[in-house]
Amino acid sequence: MAIEQAIFQRTELLIGDEAMKRLSSKRVIIFGVGGVGSWCAESLIRSGIRQLTIVDSDVVCESNINRQLMATTKTIGQAKVDVLRERLLSINPNAEITALQQVFNEETADSFHMGIYDYVIDAIDSLKDKALLILMACKENVGFFSSMGAALKMDSTRIRVTEFWKVSGDPLARALRKRFKHNGQYPSRKFLCVYSDELLQNLGEKTDRGNGTLVHITAIFGFTLAGLIVQDAVQKTL
């Protein structure tokens, strides 16, 4: 593992050998590797996580290039998880990266066996599927962190972390809470979210179903999610 010793010497200098060993033993699964999840994945691998599962059913398209890590003019049409896996292995060849080109929904949810992981990251967009993931992850004895909406933001200083029920000014969080209340199903425990209370308007002509996004915002969301995992794992060694 000489290559890993060289790669992570600066990380180990900061957090110590015990924490590095703990990070390398953790199993993480990320649902959604778009503008937020892709940067989260890279940050985790660069921080010393060695066992990572990435889940996304989409392929790279032109509109992904402005904000998604693995999206380039050369990767258009390729499965996002496959391209991202290749990049992550180029960072740490010893990492164990499982790429699942699948959708998370009611039909597939049980197949992911979330209980076998140490950490679950929610970076998916679909309201229905996101609500299901939150409910299921909160039932498991795993660390769970969720991304709220990263679109229609520009001011990076307004990105925050707080408990889900305390998130303010975020339409996605509001829609999730409304859905939980309407269905009478609530997360069984508290969990932290990355969010911003900024909400801008689309000024350009809309050509698809999405909203405007900027890479520095989506990347900070993803890096922050990764940071929550690293911080949690490191603090447990103190």
Side-chain angles (χ1 to χ4, degrees), residues 3-4 6-7 25 27 43 55 58 61 83 95 107 117 121 129 144 146 152 157 172 175-176 195 213 222:
I3 182 65
E4 285 193 334
I7 291 172
S25 71
R27 301 186 67 181
S43 183
V55 182
D58 288 342
C61 64
V83 181
E107 289 71 36
Y117 297 93
I121 292 289
D129 298 335
F144 175 61
S146 179
L152 300 175
T157 67
L172 181 54
L176 284 166
Y195 78 103
T213 51

Side-chain angles (χ1 to χ4, degrees), residues 14-145:
L14 177 64
I15 68 175
D17 178 66
E18 175 79 18
M20 283 303 308
K21 291 178 180 178
R22 194 175 188 91
L23 276 175
S24 68
S25 71
K26 298 302 182 183
R27 301 186 67 181
V28 182
I29 185 168
I30 302 175
F31 290 93
V33 291
V36 173
S38 60
W39 298 99
C40 178
E42 170 136 344
S43 183
L44 288 172
I45 293 301
R46 288 187 184 273
S47 297
I49 292 292
R50 296 184 71 252
Q51 302 174 79
L52 179 65
T53 298
I54 50 177
V55 182
D56 200 301
S57 63
D58 288 342
V59 298
V60 176
C61 64
E62 290 90 341
S63 64
N64 300 149
I65 296 174
N66 83 313
R67 69 195 182 283
Q68 298 186 14
L69 177 68
M70 63 284 163
T72 70
T73 55
K74 294 183 178 180
T75 60
I76 293 171
Q78 299 180 43
K80 291 181 180 180
V81 291
D82 291 340
V83 181
L84 183 57
R85 179 179 184 273
E86 183 177 350
R87 176 177 172 87
L88 297 177
L89 289 174
S90 73
I91 297 169
N92 183 4
N94 294 321
E96 300 173 18
I97 314 294
T98 302
L100 301 178
Q101 190 183 9
Q102 300 175 22
V103 65
F104 175 89
N105 57 26
E106 289 181 340
E107 289 71 36
T108 65
D110 290 334
S111 69
F112 293 102
H113 307 293
M114 280 182 277
I116 69 173
Y117 297 93
D118 297 290
Y119 296 99
V120 175
I121 292 289
D122 159 39
I124 58 179
D125 297 323
S126 164
L127 178 64
K128 180 180 179 181
D129 298 335
K130 194 178 194 74
L132 177 62
L133 177 57
I134 290 171
L135 291 173
M136 292 187 66
C138 285
K139 291 180 181 179
E140 302 289 347
N141 184 29
V142 299
F144 175 61
F145 304 109

